[in-house]
Amino acid sequence: MQTQESPAPDITRLAVPIAIIFFMWGFGTGALWVARPLFALALGGTLLQVGLVSALSATPRPIFGPVTGLLCDRWGRRPLLILAAIGHGGILVAQFASTSYLHFVLLEGLAGISIAIWTISSSVLIADITKIASRGRAVAFRDTAMRLGMLAGPIVGGVIAAQFEWRWVFIFIASTKVVAIYIVLFFIPETKPASVPLGATGRPGAIRASGAGIPWAMFRTRSFVAIAAATVCFGMIGLGPGLFRTYYPVHAQETLMLAPDVIGNLVAMGAVLTLLTAAPVGFAVDRFGRKWPLVLGLVLLGAAVYLLGMSAAFIGVAAAFAVFAIAEGMNSNTMQTYAMDLAPAAQRGVFLSAFHVATSSGMIAGPLLAGLLAERVGLETTLIIFTGVVASCVLLFAVLAQETLQRGQRQDSPASHTGFPS
């Protein structure tokens, strides 16, 4: 598939601001992952109610993602980024003042809207400021900055909670949004294209104004069907509260009798391994293309689920989590890069919001379907069934997906040495 892209801005000077805003967002997210469940418990929530808090945070994404995409294409990227950071920061301050579980959980639902706005608008920003030839490295750069923040966030949050109490962590997280707002206001330019040549109009070279409507044909391509299926599959198993993270601790503790500290150490080592995977994968997809690294990443994802289902000892669980960590690093970056390549410049917001809706749908459906199956056939059999689901998605993607990085655009081409710094 031959993709078309509008000229990306000279973004060498944007590398540091981009790293800062994504590090700060990850910094706050890492602290929130620790503070959210424990503060809910402190307010009198049950274990079921703690799970409800996390679910409410993810639920708004399929609803507000498309709205954000439309607004990104009409208003621009910076207003949405600033709105998301201000909204989430304000909600965090209100959560600091929460004195009841009900108050806290309602605010968490509102926070999910701000998170959805940030997720979509920041993805569109990265797509705008990168060229196809260096996009894999740019996505890896962003992901590395954010994951470093996620690793540091829980440490700082724990120190704050130990010195004061959990509610003060929300003030710390809100302060990270202030830094992000400052950087966006003074260092990030507006990147929404006024008009670009698009083949999506049906006439090669025709001009279509940014935000002038939705060319639905862009969702009816083989490549979009392939990436949508792949990202639903990855969302079901590997993202956020997906199947693997939800049931890995259960299997490790209930079946293999591993101690909580051993389980925690495996999770921490997996996070480091995912972080270390990001940069090499970014370079690989800019040199060899997106399709086959993504196929490999999906194969590894299926292998991780299979290994977990078959594990009867510590070594099996450790191997499963190591394979999963590598698969997460490969799939997360490469799927986003592939979707950004496919997105028409004037409708990037709408296109990428559809991609994120597929991701969020998988995140919601995966644990639910796995739980229903596990009650009937057992967890191990459920994991084998999902291994088959991944295998089907691998086959579908391999058959339908078309490579978006053409030979003349690749990293080793003389014409490709522009755009995001390597």
PDB file of all heavy atoms in Angstrom, residues 1-3 220-227 288-292 294-295 334 337-339 341-342 396-406 409-410:
ATOM      1  N   MET A   1       0.843  -1.199   0.000  1.00  0.00           N
ATOM      2  CA  MET A   1       0.000   0.000   0.000  1.00  0.00           C
ATOM      3  C   MET A   1       0.873   1.243   0.000  1.00  0.00           C
ATOM      4  O   MET A   1       1.738   1.411   0.858  1.00  0.00           O
ATOM      5  CB  MET A   1      -0.879   0.009   1.259  1.00  0.00           C
ATOM      6  CG  MET A   1      -1.711   1.276   1.396  1.00  0.00           C
ATOM      7  SD  MET A   1      -2.721   1.217   2.897  1.00  0.00           S
ATOM      8  CE  MET A   1      -3.516   2.791   2.794  1.00  0.00           C
ATOM      9  N   GLN A   2       0.683   2.138  -0.935  1.00  0.00           N
ATOM     10  CA  GLN A   2       1.462   3.377  -0.995  1.00  0.00           C
ATOM     11  C   GLN A   2       0.746   4.447  -0.191  1.00  0.00           C
ATOM     12  O   GLN A   2      -0.352   4.848  -0.498  1.00  0.00           O
ATOM     13  CB  GLN A   2       1.613   3.829  -2.447  1.00  0.00           C
ATOM     14  CG  GLN A   2       2.456   5.099  -2.605  1.00  0.00           C
ATOM     15  CD  GLN A   2       3.909   4.838  -2.258  1.00  0.00           C
ATOM     16  OE1 GLN A   2       4.469   3.833  -2.643  1.00  0.00           O
ATOM     17  NE2 GLN A   2       4.522   5.736  -1.523  1.00  0.00           N
ATOM     18  N   THR A   3       1.369   4.884   0.884  1.00  0.00           N
ATOM     19  CA  THR A   3       0.757   5.904   1.731  1.00  0.00           C
ATOM     20  C   THR A   3       1.194   7.275   1.287  1.00  0.00           C
ATOM     21  O   THR A   3       2.243   7.457   0.675  1.00  0.00           O
ATOM     22  CB  THR A   3       1.154   5.697   3.200  1.00  0.00           C
ATOM     23  OG1 THR A   3       2.579   5.749   3.291  1.00  0.00           O
ATOM     24  CG2 THR A   3       0.668   4.353   3.708  1.00  0.00           C
ATOM     25  N   ARG A 220     -12.540   1.188   5.265  1.00  0.00           N
ATOM     26  CA  ARG A 220     -12.964   0.000   4.533  1.00  0.00           C
ATOM     27  C   ARG A 220     -11.803  -0.643   3.772  1.00  0.00           C
ATOM     28  O   ARG A 220     -12.031  -1.406   2.831  1.00  0.00           O
ATOM     29  CB  ARG A 220     -14.100   0.357   3.563  1.00  0.00           C
ATOM     30  CG  ARG A 220     -15.373   0.794   4.278  1.00  0.00           C
ATOM     31  CD  ARG A 220     -16.576   0.795   3.346  1.00  0.00           C
ATOM     32  NE  ARG A 220     -16.477   1.836   2.323  1.00  0.00           N
ATOM     33  CZ  ARG A 220     -16.984   3.051   2.435  1.00  0.00           C
ATOM     34  NH1 ARG A 220     -17.618   3.400   3.557  1.00  0.00           N
ATOM     35  NH2 ARG A 220     -16.866   3.937   1.467  1.00  0.00           N
ATOM     36  N   THR A 221     -10.598  -0.355   4.176  1.00  0.00           N
ATOM     37  CA  THR A 221      -9.436  -0.959   3.528  1.00  0.00           C
ATOM     38  C   THR A 221      -9.040  -2.252   4.228  1.00  0.00           C
ATOM     39  O   THR A 221      -9.335  -2.461   5.409  1.00  0.00           O
ATOM     40  CB  THR A 221      -8.239  -0.003   3.542  1.00  0.00           C
ATOM     41  OG1 THR A 221      -7.801   0.179   4.901  1.00  0.00           O
ATOM     42  CG2 THR A 221      -8.611   1.347   2.945  1.00  0.00           C
ATOM     43  N   ARG A 222      -8.350  -3.113   3.517  1.00  0.00           N
ATOM     44  CA  ARG A 222      -7.863  -4.361   4.105  1.00  0.00           C
ATOM     45  C   ARG A 222      -6.914  -4.080   5.268  1.00  0.00           C
ATOM     46  O   ARG A 222      -6.956  -4.766   6.298  1.00  0.00           O
ATOM     47  CB  ARG A 222      -7.151  -5.195   3.045  1.00  0.00           C
ATOM     48  CG  ARG A 222      -8.061  -5.710   1.945  1.00  0.00           C
ATOM     49  CD  ARG A 222      -7.237  -6.319   0.808  1.00  0.00           C
ATOM     50  NE  ARG A 222      -6.348  -7.371   1.277  1.00  0.00           N
ATOM     51  CZ  ARG A 222      -5.391  -7.927   0.557  1.00  0.00           C
ATOM     52  NH1 ARG A 222      -5.181  -7.506  -0.699  1.00  0.00           N
ATOM     53  NH2 ARG A 222      -4.637  -8.875   1.050  1.00  0.00           N
ATOM     54  N   SER A 223      -6.070  -3.063   5.103  1.00  0.00           N
ATOM     55  CA  SER A 223      -5.088  -2.772   6.142  1.00  0.00           C
ATOM     56  C   SER A 223      -5.744  -2.281   7.415  1.00  0.00           C
ATOM     57  O   SER A 223      -5.302  -2.610   8.528  1.00  0.00           O
ATOM     58  CB  SER A 223      -4.074  -1.740   5.624  1.00  0.00           C
ATOM     59  OG  SER A 223      -3.268  -2.291   4.611  1.00  0.00           O
ATOM     60  N   PHE A 224      -6.818  -1.465   7.298  1.00  0.00           N
ATOM     61  CA  PHE A 224      -7.491  -1.004   8.515  1.00  0.00           C
ATOM     62  C   PHE A 224      -8.171  -2.169   9.220  1.00  0.00           C
ATOM     63  O   PHE A 224      -8.118  -2.275  10.446  1.00  0.00           O
ATOM     64  CB  PHE A 224      -8.515   0.093   8.218  1.00  0.00           C
ATOM     65  CG  PHE A 224      -9.237   0.539   9.463  1.00  0.00           C
ATOM     66  CD1 PHE A 224      -8.618   1.397  10.362  1.00  0.00           C
ATOM     67  CD2 PHE A 224     -10.512   0.070   9.765  1.00  0.00           C
ATOM     68  CE1 PHE A 224      -9.254   1.790  11.533  1.00  0.00           C
ATOM     69  CE2 PHE A 224     -11.153   0.451  10.929  1.00  0.00           C
ATOM     70  CZ  PHE A 224     -10.524   1.329  11.814  1.00  0.00           C
ATOM     71  N   VAL A 225      -8.818  -3.053   8.460  1.00  0.00           N
ATOM     72  CA  VAL A 225      -9.441  -4.231   9.066  1.00  0.00           C
ATOM     73  C   VAL A 225      -8.389  -5.062   9.795  1.00  0.00           C
ATOM     74  O   VAL A 225      -8.604  -5.545  10.920  1.00  0.00           O
ATOM     75  CB  VAL A 225     -10.162  -5.073   8.001  1.00  0.00           C
ATOM     76  CG1 VAL A 225     -10.633  -6.405   8.584  1.00  0.00           C
ATOM     77  CG2 VAL A 225     -11.353  -4.307   7.435  1.00  0.00           C
ATOM     78  N   ALA A 226      -7.218  -5.209   9.182  1.00  0.00           N
ATOM     79  CA  ALA A 226      -6.147  -6.009   9.777  1.00  0.00           C
ATOM     80  C   ALA A 226      -5.639  -5.386  11.075  1.00  0.00           C
ATOM     81  O   ALA A 226      -5.492  -6.079  12.089  1.00  0.00           O
ATOM     82  CB  ALA A 226      -4.994  -6.154   8.781  1.00  0.00           C
ATOM     83  N   ILE A 227      -5.373  -4.077  11.070  1.00  0.00           N
ATOM     84  CA  ILE A 227      -4.829  -3.451  12.280  1.00  0.00           C
ATOM     85  C   ILE A 227      -5.897  -3.343  13.361  1.00  0.00           C
ATOM     86  O   ILE A 227      -5.594  -3.441  14.552  1.00  0.00           O
ATOM     87  CB  ILE A 227      -4.205  -2.060  11.969  1.00  0.00           C
ATOM     88  CG1 ILE A 227      -3.386  -1.554  13.167  1.00  0.00           C
ATOM     89  CG2 ILE A 227      -5.258  -1.044  11.589  1.00  0.00           C
ATOM     90  CD1 ILE A 227      -2.234  -2.433  13.558  1.00  0.00           C
ATOM     91  N   PHE A 288      13.168  -2.281   8.443  1.00  0.00           N
ATOM     92  CA  PHE A 288      12.634  -3.479   7.795  1.00  0.00           C
ATOM     93  C   PHE A 288      11.142  -3.390   7.489  1.00  0.00           C
ATOM     94  O   PHE A 288      10.599  -4.256   6.812  1.00  0.00           O
ATOM     95  CB  PHE A 288      12.895  -4.706   8.672  1.00  0.00           C
ATOM     96  CG  PHE A 288      14.341  -4.914   8.996  1.00  0.00           C
ATOM     97  CD1 PHE A 288      14.814  -4.749  10.290  1.00  0.00           C
ATOM     98  CD2 PHE A 288      15.253  -5.240   8.000  1.00  0.00           C
ATOM     99  CE1 PHE A 288      16.151  -4.926  10.593  1.00  0.00           C
ATOM    100  CE2 PHE A 288      16.593  -5.423   8.295  1.00  0.00           C
ATOM    101  CZ  PHE A 288      17.047  -5.257   9.600  1.00  0.00           C
ATOM    102  N   GLY A 289      10.464  -2.355   7.968  1.00  0.00           N
ATOM    103  CA  GLY A 289       9.035  -2.241   7.749  1.00  0.00           C
ATOM    104  C   GLY A 289       8.237  -2.600   8.987  1.00  0.00           C
ATOM    105  O   GLY A 289       8.781  -3.071   9.990  1.00  0.00           O
ATOM    106  N   ARG A 290       6.917  -2.376   8.908  1.00  0.00           N
ATOM    107  CA  ARG A 290       6.056  -2.563  10.084  1.00  0.00           C
ATOM    108  C   ARG A 290       5.425  -3.947  10.150  1.00  0.00           C
ATOM    109  O   ARG A 290       5.217  -4.497  11.231  1.00  0.00           O
ATOM    110  CB  ARG A 290       4.907  -1.555  10.092  1.00  0.00           C
ATOM    111  CG  ARG A 290       5.090  -0.088   9.914  1.00  0.00           C
ATOM    112  CD  ARG A 290       6.375   0.558   9.828  1.00  0.00           C
ATOM    113  NE  ARG A 290       6.225   2.000   9.610  1.00  0.00           N
ATOM    114  CZ  ARG A 290       7.199   2.856   9.766  1.00  0.00           C
ATOM    115  NH1 ARG A 290       8.399   2.431  10.107  1.00  0.00           N
ATOM    116  NH2 ARG A 290       7.001   4.147   9.569  1.00  0.00           N
ATOM    117  N   LYS A 291       5.070  -4.491   8.996  1.00  0.00           N
ATOM    118  CA  LYS A 291       4.204  -5.673   8.971  1.00  0.00           C
ATOM    119  C   LYS A 291       4.811  -6.879   9.675  1.00  0.00           C
ATOM    120  O   LYS A 291       4.190  -7.456  10.591  1.00  0.00           O
ATOM    121  CB  LYS A 291       3.860  -6.026   7.522  1.00  0.00           C
ATOM    122  CG  LYS A 291       2.979  -7.265   7.409  1.00  0.00           C
ATOM    123  CD  LYS A 291       2.576  -7.556   5.966  1.00  0.00           C
ATOM    124  CE  LYS A 291       1.739  -8.823   5.877  1.00  0.00           C
ATOM    125  NZ  LYS A 291       1.263  -9.082   4.498  1.00  0.00           N
ATOM    126  N   TRP A 292       6.000  -7.281   9.275  1.00  0.00           N
ATOM    127  CA  TRP A 292       6.516  -8.541   9.800  1.00  0.00           C
ATOM    128  C   TRP A 292       7.008  -8.430  11.242  1.00  0.00           C
ATOM    129  O   TRP A 292       6.845  -9.397  12.012  1.00  0.00           O
ATOM    130  CB  TRP A 292       7.570  -9.109   8.864  1.00  0.00           C
ATOM    131  CG  TRP A 292       6.939  -9.474   7.549  1.00  0.00           C
ATOM    132  CD1 TRP A 292       7.117  -8.866   6.344  1.00  0.00           C
ATOM    133  CD2 TRP A 292       5.951 -10.493   7.331  1.00  0.00           C
ATOM    134  NE1 TRP A 292       6.315  -9.434   5.382  1.00  0.00           N
ATOM    135  CE2 TRP A 292       5.587 -10.437   5.950  1.00  0.00           C
ATOM    136  CE3 TRP A 292       5.334 -11.437   8.148  1.00  0.00           C
ATOM    137  CZ2 TRP A 292       4.650 -11.305   5.402  1.00  0.00           C
ATOM    138  CZ3 TRP A 292       4.398 -12.298   7.603  1.00  0.00           C
ATOM    139  CH2 TRP A 292       4.065 -12.224   6.248  1.00  0.00           C
ATOM    140  N   LEU A 294       5.426  -6.732  13.398  1.00  0.00           N
ATOM    141  CA  LEU A 294       4.154  -6.819  14.107  1.00  0.00           C
ATOM    142  C   LEU A 294       3.633  -8.259  14.137  1.00  0.00           C
ATOM    143  O   LEU A 294       3.092  -8.717  15.153  1.00  0.00           O
ATOM    144  CB  LEU A 294       3.124  -5.893  13.456  1.00  0.00           C
ATOM    145  CG  LEU A 294       1.759  -5.749  14.144  1.00  0.00           C
ATOM    146  CD1 LEU A 294       1.918  -5.510  15.636  1.00  0.00           C
ATOM    147  CD2 LEU A 294       0.984  -4.615  13.509  1.00  0.00           C
ATOM    148  N   VAL A 295       3.797  -8.981  13.030  1.00  0.00           N
ATOM    149  CA  VAL A 295       3.424 -10.400  13.023  1.00  0.00           C
ATOM    150  C   VAL A 295       4.216 -11.153  14.092  1.00  0.00           C
ATOM    151  O   VAL A 295       3.660 -11.957  14.859  1.00  0.00           O
ATOM    152  CB  VAL A 295       3.663 -11.014  11.627  1.00  0.00           C
ATOM    153  CG1 VAL A 295       3.550 -12.540  11.682  1.00  0.00           C
ATOM    154  CG2 VAL A 295       2.656 -10.459  10.619  1.00  0.00           C
ATOM    155  N   THR A 334       4.749  -0.793  17.487  1.00  0.00           N
ATOM    156  CA  THR A 334       4.581  -1.056  16.065  1.00  0.00           C
ATOM    157  C   THR A 334       3.143  -0.851  15.608  1.00  0.00           C
ATOM    158  O   THR A 334       2.896  -0.350  14.506  1.00  0.00           O
ATOM    159  CB  THR A 334       5.041  -2.485  15.730  1.00  0.00           C
ATOM    160  OG1 THR A 334       6.311  -2.722  16.339  1.00  0.00           O
ATOM    161  CG2 THR A 334       5.175  -2.674  14.233  1.00  0.00           C
ATOM    162  N   THR A 337       2.623   2.868  15.260  1.00  0.00           N
ATOM    163  CA  THR A 337       3.338   3.360  14.083  1.00  0.00           C
ATOM    164  C   THR A 337       2.582   3.013  12.803  1.00  0.00           C
ATOM    165  O   THR A 337       2.410   3.854  11.908  1.00  0.00           O
ATOM    166  CB  THR A 337       4.753   2.754  14.031  1.00  0.00           C
ATOM    167  OG1 THR A 337       5.451   3.086  15.228  1.00  0.00           O
ATOM    168  CG2 THR A 337       5.531   3.285  12.837  1.00  0.00           C
ATOM    169  N   TYR A 338       2.107   1.782  12.709  1.00  0.00           N
ATOM    170  CA  TYR A 338       1.364   1.330  11.524  1.00  0.00           C
ATOM    171  C   TYR A 338       0.086   2.140  11.353  1.00  0.00           C
ATOM    172  O   TYR A 338      -0.247   2.582  10.245  1.00  0.00           O
ATOM    173  CB  TYR A 338       1.048  -0.156  11.675  1.00  0.00           C
ATOM    174  CG  TYR A 338       0.464  -0.803  10.440  1.00  0.00           C
ATOM    175  CD1 TYR A 338       1.284  -1.298   9.431  1.00  0.00           C
ATOM    176  CD2 TYR A 338      -0.908  -0.933  10.290  1.00  0.00           C
ATOM    177  CE1 TYR A 338       0.752  -1.901   8.296  1.00  0.00           C
ATOM    178  CE2 TYR A 338      -1.455  -1.536   9.164  1.00  0.00           C
ATOM    179  CZ  TYR A 338      -0.621  -2.016   8.171  1.00  0.00           C
ATOM    180  OH  TYR A 338      -1.152  -2.607   7.056  1.00  0.00           O
ATOM    181  N   ALA A 339      -0.644   2.372  12.448  1.00  0.00           N
ATOM    182  CA  ALA A 339      -1.886   3.147  12.367  1.00  0.00           C
ATOM    183  C   ALA A 339      -1.606   4.587  11.958  1.00  0.00           C
ATOM    184  O   ALA A 339      -2.354   5.177  11.166  1.00  0.00           O
ATOM    185  CB  ALA A 339      -2.616   3.103  13.712  1.00  0.00           C
ATOM    186  N   ASP A 341       0.842   5.597  10.101  1.00  0.00           N
ATOM    187  CA  ASP A 341       1.164   5.565   8.674  1.00  0.00           C
ATOM    188  C   ASP A 341      -0.099   5.561   7.819  1.00  0.00           C
ATOM    189  O   ASP A 341      -0.158   6.202   6.765  1.00  0.00           O
ATOM    190  CB  ASP A 341       1.984   4.311   8.342  1.00  0.00           C
ATOM    191  CG  ASP A 341       3.398   4.349   8.882  1.00  0.00           C
ATOM    192  OD1 ASP A 341       3.828   5.418   9.350  1.00  0.00           O
ATOM    193  OD2 ASP A 341       4.068   3.301   8.847  1.00  0.00           O
ATOM    194  N   LEU A 342      -1.096   4.802   8.237  1.00  0.00           N
ATOM    195  CA  LEU A 342      -2.330   4.677   7.464  1.00  0.00           C
ATOM    196  C   LEU A 342      -3.196   5.927   7.522  1.00  0.00           C
ATOM    197  O   LEU A 342      -3.979   6.186   6.606  1.00  0.00           O
ATOM    198  CB  LEU A 342      -3.163   3.498   7.983  1.00  0.00           C
ATOM    199  CG  LEU A 342      -2.634   2.082   7.758  1.00  0.00           C
ATOM    200  CD1 LEU A 342      -3.566   1.073   8.425  1.00  0.00           C
ATOM    201  CD2 LEU A 342      -2.499   1.762   6.277  1.00  0.00           C
ATOM    202  N   LEU A 396      -4.894 -13.484  10.149  1.00  0.00           N
ATOM    203  CA  LEU A 396      -5.668 -12.436   9.495  1.00  0.00           C
ATOM    204  C   LEU A 396      -4.779 -11.245   9.132  1.00  0.00           C
ATOM    205  O   LEU A 396      -4.843 -10.721   8.011  1.00  0.00           O
ATOM    206  CB  LEU A 396      -6.803 -11.979  10.419  1.00  0.00           C
ATOM    207  CG  LEU A 396      -7.733 -10.907   9.858  1.00  0.00           C
ATOM    208  CD1 LEU A 396      -8.555 -11.452   8.701  1.00  0.00           C
ATOM    209  CD2 LEU A 396      -8.646 -10.366  10.962  1.00  0.00           C
ATOM    210  N   PHE A 397      -3.924 -10.843  10.062  1.00  0.00           N
ATOM    211  CA  PHE A 397      -3.050  -9.704   9.796  1.00  0.00           C
ATOM    212  C   PHE A 397      -2.040 -10.032   8.698  1.00  0.00           C
ATOM    213  O   PHE A 397      -1.786  -9.208   7.817  1.00  0.00           O
ATOM    214  CB  PHE A 397      -2.329  -9.280  11.079  1.00  0.00           C
ATOM    215  CG  PHE A 397      -1.564  -7.997  10.933  1.00  0.00           C
ATOM    216  CD1 PHE A 397      -2.196  -6.771  11.111  1.00  0.00           C
ATOM    217  CD2 PHE A 397      -0.219  -7.996  10.603  1.00  0.00           C
ATOM    218  CE1 PHE A 397      -1.510  -5.579  10.961  1.00  0.00           C
ATOM    219  CE2 PHE A 397       0.481  -6.811  10.451  1.00  0.00           C
ATOM    220  CZ  PHE A 397      -0.170  -5.598  10.630  1.00  0.00           C
ATOM    221  N   ALA A 398      -1.461 -11.216   8.756  1.00  0.00           N
ATOM    222  CA  ALA A 398      -0.465 -11.604   7.751  1.00  0.00           C
ATOM    223  C   ALA A 398      -1.054 -11.616   6.348  1.00  0.00           C
ATOM    224  O   ALA A 398      -0.381 -11.258   5.375  1.00  0.00           O
ATOM    225  CB  ALA A 398       0.118 -12.972   8.097  1.00  0.00           C
ATOM    226  N   VAL A 399      -2.329 -11.989   6.229  1.00  0.00           N
ATOM    227  CA  VAL A 399      -2.975 -12.084   4.913  1.00  0.00           C
ATOM    228  C   VAL A 399      -3.449 -10.716   4.421  1.00  0.00           C
ATOM    229  O   VAL A 399      -3.257 -10.359   3.250  1.00  0.00           O
ATOM    230  CB  VAL A 399      -4.152 -13.076   4.964  1.00  0.00           C
ATOM    231  CG1 VAL A 399      -4.966 -13.018   3.676  1.00  0.00           C
ATOM    232  CG2 VAL A 399      -3.647 -14.492   5.218  1.00  0.00           C
ATOM    233  N   LEU A 400      -4.053  -9.921   5.297  1.00  0.00           N
ATOM    234  CA  LEU A 400      -4.707  -8.685   4.871  1.00  0.00           C
ATOM    235  C   LEU A 400      -3.819  -7.447   4.890  1.00  0.00           C
ATOM    236  O   LEU A 400      -3.954  -6.565   4.044  1.00  0.00           O
ATOM    237  CB  LEU A 400      -5.938  -8.413   5.750  1.00  0.00           C
ATOM    238  CG  LEU A 400      -7.113  -9.376   5.643  1.00  0.00           C
ATOM    239  CD1 LEU A 400      -8.259  -8.903   6.524  1.00  0.00           C
ATOM    240  CD2 LEU A 400      -7.581  -9.511   4.198  1.00  0.00           C
ATOM    241  N   ALA A 401      -2.927  -7.362   5.859  1.00  0.00           N
ATOM    242  CA  ALA A 401      -2.159  -6.126   6.044  1.00  0.00           C
ATOM    243  C   ALA A 401      -1.175  -5.908   4.911  1.00  0.00           C
ATOM    244  O   ALA A 401      -0.542  -6.849   4.413  1.00  0.00           O
ATOM    245  CB  ALA A 401      -1.416  -6.163   7.372  1.00  0.00           C
ATOM    246  N   GLN A 402      -1.061  -4.653   4.491  1.00  0.00           N
ATOM    247  CA  GLN A 402      -0.070  -4.267   3.486  1.00  0.00           C
ATOM    248  C   GLN A 402       1.006  -3.404   4.141  1.00  0.00           C
ATOM    249  O   GLN A 402       0.716  -2.611   5.036  1.00  0.00           O
ATOM    250  CB  GLN A 402      -0.751  -3.498   2.350  1.00  0.00           C
ATOM    251  CG  GLN A 402      -1.753  -4.352   1.569  1.00  0.00           C
ATOM    252  CD  GLN A 402      -2.499  -3.541   0.521  1.00  0.00           C
ATOM    253  OE1 GLN A 402      -3.424  -2.803   0.826  1.00  0.00           O
ATOM    254  NE2 GLN A 402      -2.078  -3.668  -0.727  1.00  0.00           N
ATOM    255  N   GLU A 403       2.236  -3.571   3.691  1.00  0.00           N
ATOM    256  CA  GLU A 403       3.340  -2.807   4.255  1.00  0.00           C
ATOM    257  C   GLU A 403       3.161  -1.318   3.977  1.00  0.00           C
ATOM    258  O   GLU A 403       2.839  -0.931   2.844  1.00  0.00           O
ATOM    259  CB  GLU A 403       4.673  -3.303   3.694  1.00  0.00           C
ATOM    260  CG  GLU A 403       5.885  -2.565   4.229  1.00  0.00           C
ATOM    261  CD  GLU A 403       5.955  -2.633   5.743  1.00  0.00           C
ATOM    262  OE1 GLU A 403       6.093  -3.742   6.279  1.00  0.00           O
ATOM    263  OE2 GLU A 403       5.849  -1.564   6.375  1.00  0.00           O
ATOM    264  N   THR A 404       3.341  -0.469   4.982  1.00  0.00           N
ATOM    265  CA  THR A 404       3.186   0.978   4.819  1.00  0.00           C
ATOM    266  C   THR A 404       4.507   1.700   4.582  1.00  0.00           C
ATOM    267  O   THR A 404       4.502   2.857   4.173  1.00  0.00           O
ATOM    268  CB  THR A 404       2.501   1.591   6.054  1.00  0.00           C
ATOM    269  OG1 THR A 404       3.302   1.306   7.224  1.00  0.00           O
ATOM    270  CG2 THR A 404       1.109   1.028   6.246  1.00  0.00           C
ATOM    271  N   LEU A 405       5.624   1.032   4.858  1.00  0.00           N
ATOM    272  CA  LEU A 405       6.938   1.655   4.673  1.00  0.00           C
ATOM    273  C   LEU A 405       7.526   1.137   3.371  1.00  0.00           C
ATOM    274  O   LEU A 405       7.972  -0.008   3.281  1.00  0.00           O
ATOM    275  CB  LEU A 405       7.861   1.322   5.845  1.00  0.00           C
ATOM    276  CG  LEU A 405       9.244   1.968   5.798  1.00  0.00           C
ATOM    277  CD1 LEU A 405       9.151   3.480   5.981  1.00  0.00           C
ATOM    278  CD2 LEU A 405      10.150   1.378   6.877  1.00  0.00           C
ATOM    279  N   GLN A 406       7.544   1.984   2.358  1.00  0.00           N
ATOM    280  CA  GLN A 406       8.068   1.585   1.055  1.00  0.00           C
ATOM    281  C   GLN A 406       9.593   1.634   1.059  1.00  0.00           C
ATOM    282  O   GLN A 406      10.221   2.319   1.864  1.00  0.00           O
ATOM    283  CB  GLN A 406       7.511   2.498  -0.042  1.00  0.00           C
ATOM    284  CG  GLN A 406       5.986   2.571  -0.054  1.00  0.00           C
ATOM    285  CD  GLN A 406       5.335   1.202  -0.164  1.00  0.00           C
ATOM    286  OE1 GLN A 406       5.750   0.384  -0.980  1.00  0.00           O
ATOM    287  NE2 GLN A 406       4.309   0.948   0.649  1.00  0.00           N
ATOM    288  N   GLN A 409      11.476   4.851   1.325  1.00  0.00           N
ATOM    289  CA  GLN A 409      11.265   5.643   2.532  1.00  0.00           C
ATOM    290  C   GLN A 409      12.052   5.117   3.713  1.00  0.00           C
ATOM    291  O   GLN A 409      12.030   5.719   4.776  1.00  0.00           O
ATOM    292  CB  GLN A 409       9.773   5.637   2.901  1.00  0.00           C
ATOM    293  CG  GLN A 409       8.873   6.246   1.829  1.00  0.00           C
ATOM    294  CD  GLN A 409       7.408   5.961   2.116  1.00  0.00           C
ATOM    295  OE1 GLN A 409       7.041   4.868   2.526  1.00  0.00           O
ATOM    296  NE2 GLN A 409       6.578   6.947   1.906  1.00  0.00           N
ATOM    297  N   ARG A 410      12.737   3.998   3.569  1.00  0.00           N
ATOM    298  CA  ARG A 410      13.319   3.324   4.727  1.00  0.00           C
ATOM    299  C   ARG A 410      14.520   4.069   5.271  1.00  0.00           C
ATOM    300  O   ARG A 410      15.139   4.891   4.622  1.00  0.00           O
ATOM    301  CB  ARG A 410      13.673   1.883   4.383  1.00  0.00           C
ATOM    302  CG  ARG A 410      12.422   1.126   3.963  1.00  0.00           C
ATOM    303  CD  ARG A 410      12.593  -0.361   3.874  1.00  0.00           C
ATOM    304  NE  ARG A 410      11.302  -0.968   3.504  1.00  0.00           N
ATOM    305  CZ  ARG A 410      11.037  -2.254   3.602  1.00  0.00           C
ATOM    306  NH1 ARG A 410      11.948  -3.086   4.035  1.00  0.00           N
ATOM    307  NH2 ARG A 410       9.861  -2.711   3.258  1.00  0.00           N
TER     308      ARG A 410
END
